[in-house]
Amino acid sequence: DAPGSVTVDENGLLHAHAVGELHITATNSSGQTDRIVVVVNPTLAQAIKLNRSTAALKVGGTIQLSVIFTPESTTNKNVIWNSSNSLVASVSDQGLVTAYTLGECVVTATTSDGSNISATCDVAVGETAAEGISISPVGPVTISVGESLQLSAEVTPSTTTDKSVSWQTVGTYSDCISVDETGLVTAIKCTMGNYARVSATNSAGQS
């Protein structure tokens, strides 16, 4: 028996509250009884839809999907989530979509109550543009003629799709040093107490 799954009023009207089986007994004034067994079956989903049918994300972005059931009284509202390409974007058991790389995929939610009904969301993952760049170590620094110094550049945000950097010497004393494509600076001749400048530029043209 499942106490509480069904209630009955003084007129014999039954009200189903939860899935289960219950024995209902009726007794007359002479003490005679009769009994019936009431079985309450689950309410299966007839249709589902997601809170959105399309989603556009940047690499590293997330979006929360949720499921709307018809009828609202569906007993089992659990779903199984799946991504057609988890390398592009994955989906958690709670419907959280996370974008990893450029591309497209389809996220599907399927009912787990046996009705086998599905709903989908088309996900497109686009590029994340560079927004800033910084050089390390922070200058000014001093090196002697013939010596080299390795510089590094950090492109932000960390989810930037194209993290390429171009290096160049700039300013009045740019011929006193050289810098290669990796940021390795080499002193060629003395700047007579002045500083030569090195610039790093990200894929968005920021330096």
Short mmCIF file of all heavy atoms in Angstrom, two decimals, residues 4 73 85 98 113 126 139 196:
data_model
loop_
_atom_site.label_atom_id
_atom_site.label_comp_id
_atom_site.label_asym_id
_atom_site.label_seq_id
_atom_site.Cartn_x
_atom_site.Cartn_y
_atom_site.Cartn_z
N GLY A 4 -1.58 7.79 1.52
CA GLY A 4 -1.53 9.15 1.01
C GLY A 4 -1.62 9.26 -0.49
O GLY A 4 -1.76 10.35 -1.02
N SER A 73 1.20 18.33 -14.84
CA SER A 73 1.11 17.32 -13.78
C SER A 73 1.91 16.05 -14.08
O SER A 73 1.78 15.06 -13.36
CB SER A 73 -0.35 16.96 -13.53
OG SER A 73 -0.94 16.43 -14.72
N ASN A 85 27.69 16.85 -30.31
CA ASN A 85 29.14 17.01 -30.45
C ASN A 85 29.67 17.67 -29.19
O ASN A 85 29.71 18.90 -29.09
CB ASN A 85 29.49 17.84 -31.68
CG ASN A 85 30.99 17.81 -31.99
OD1 ASN A 85 31.80 17.51 -31.12
ND2 ASN A 85 31.36 18.14 -33.22
N THR A 98 27.96 24.16 -21.98
CA THR A 98 29.25 24.85 -21.93
C THR A 98 29.93 24.74 -23.30
O THR A 98 30.06 23.64 -23.83
CB THR A 98 30.17 24.25 -20.85
OG1 THR A 98 29.52 24.31 -19.58
CG2 THR A 98 31.49 25.00 -20.78
N ASP A 113 10.49 8.88 -18.52
CA ASP A 113 9.33 8.20 -17.93
C ASP A 113 8.75 7.13 -18.83
O ASP A 113 7.69 6.56 -18.53
CB ASP A 113 8.24 9.22 -17.57
CG ASP A 113 7.66 9.93 -18.80
OD1 ASP A 113 8.15 9.68 -19.92
OD2 ASP A 113 6.74 10.75 -18.62
N GLY A 126 30.62 30.68 -31.53
CA GLY A 126 31.38 31.60 -32.36
C GLY A 126 32.67 32.05 -31.70
O GLY A 126 32.99 31.65 -30.57
N GLY A 139 58.48 46.65 -18.20
CA GLY A 139 59.68 47.47 -18.27
C GLY A 139 59.62 48.68 -17.36
O GLY A 139 58.63 48.90 -16.67
N ALA A 196 64.91 51.70 -25.84
CA ALA A 196 64.22 51.28 -27.06
C ALA A 196 62.94 50.57 -26.65
O ALA A 196 62.86 49.96 -25.58
CB ALA A 196 65.11 50.34 -27.87
#
